[in-house]
Amino acid sequence: MNQRKICMLGAFAVGKTSLVRRYVHSMFDERYHTTVGVKIDRKDVAIDGCDVRLMLWDIHGEDAFQNVRLSYLRGMSGYLLVADGTRRESIDRAYSLQSIIERNAGGRPFVFLLNKADLADSWAIEADDLEEARRRKWKILRTSAKTGEGVEEAFVELTRAMLEVAP
């Protein structure tokens, strides 16, 4: 069985933990759960006839007081870069994080998730806010940990991209 490490990265409170819970346990909890350090989950999947064990590293949110520990990225096969559609500043944080990862971990497959699609009426993101991501040809998906929209697709998309890259 192939094993791949996926890191969940993004600003504080963008929904990384909720996305993992939705994907691994098909659950959503309205209560906010702060991740301290890193929480690791596992899910075995079959993608295009290939059995894969995904090790999901839910890493604490990055904010002005806490930066991602580069040691958590060691051995990472790919990552989901998460932003909160209701908080414009979380996109800026995602751009900054992606640059840090690129410098320190090299090119790894990733998917940029605009989370909280269920709150689309409250979104603070305009089309122009995503211009940099489009220019860089990032894969962008809208997700909702609450409804499950786009969650399975995000993990499948990333897993396929990781399998295309040598182990």
Side-chain angles (χ1 to χ4, degrees):
M1 176 176 288
N2 286 295
Q3 183 167 298
R4 297 290 189 270
K5 175 181 173 180
I6 295 175
C7 290
M8 302 294 294
L9 299 166
F12 178 77
V14 294
K16 297 177 299 293
T17 300
S18 294
L19 287 165
V20 171
R21 286 185 62 141
R22 170 60 75 178
Y23 183 62
V24 175
H25 305 290
S26 300
M27 294 173 53
F28 178 77
D29 187 347
E30 291 282 349
R31 293 173 296 173
Y32 177 71
H33 298 277
T34 301
T35 302
V36 178
V38 64
K39 181 180 181 305
I40 302 170
D41 281 286
R42 180 182 95 190
K43 183 164 181 167
D44 294 339
V45 297
I47 305 286
D48 302 329
C50 185
D51 292 329
V52 184
R53 173 163 289 156
L54 298 176
M55 302 304 295
L56 307 172
W57 285 51
D58 178 9
I59 299 173
H60 63 79
E62 182 167 296
D63 60 22
F65 307 104
Q66 187 166 321
N67 292 320
V68 68
R69 288 193 182 157
L70 297 176
S71 61
Y72 290 154
L73 305 180
R74 201 168 291 125
M76 171 180 70
S77 302
Y79 59 100
L80 292 173
L81 185 60
V82 186
D84 176 347
T86 67
R87 293 182 13 234
R88 169 67 184 84
E89 68 278 4
S90 71
I91 289 180
D92 294 332
R93 199 73 215 126
Y95 288 140
S96 173
L97 259 173
Q98 200 280 331
S99 294
I100 291 167
I101 294 163
E102 193 74 24
R103 274 194 315 275
N104 292 284
R108 296 280 192 284
F110 76 97
V111 178
F112 184 35
L113 305 182
L114 300 175
N115 197 32
K116 303 186 183 179
D118 55 291
L119 300 175
D121 292 343
S122 304
W123 273 37
I125 297 171
E126 303 294 328
D128 291 348
D129 296 330
L130 299 174
E131 191 54 41
E132 183 176 347
R134 286 189 195 94
R135 185 180 49 76
R136 295 181 185 185
K137 298 186 181 354
W138 289 6
K139 173 69 177 177
I140 304 170
L141 293 176
R142 288 173 60 125
T143 57
S144 169
K146 184 174 187 174
T147 67
E149 176 187 336
V151 176
E152 179 86 17
E153 178 186 357
F155 282 93
V156 168
E157 192 75 35
L158 179 59
T159 302
R160 280 190 176 124
M162 290 184 308
L163 289 172
E164 290 176 4
V165 178

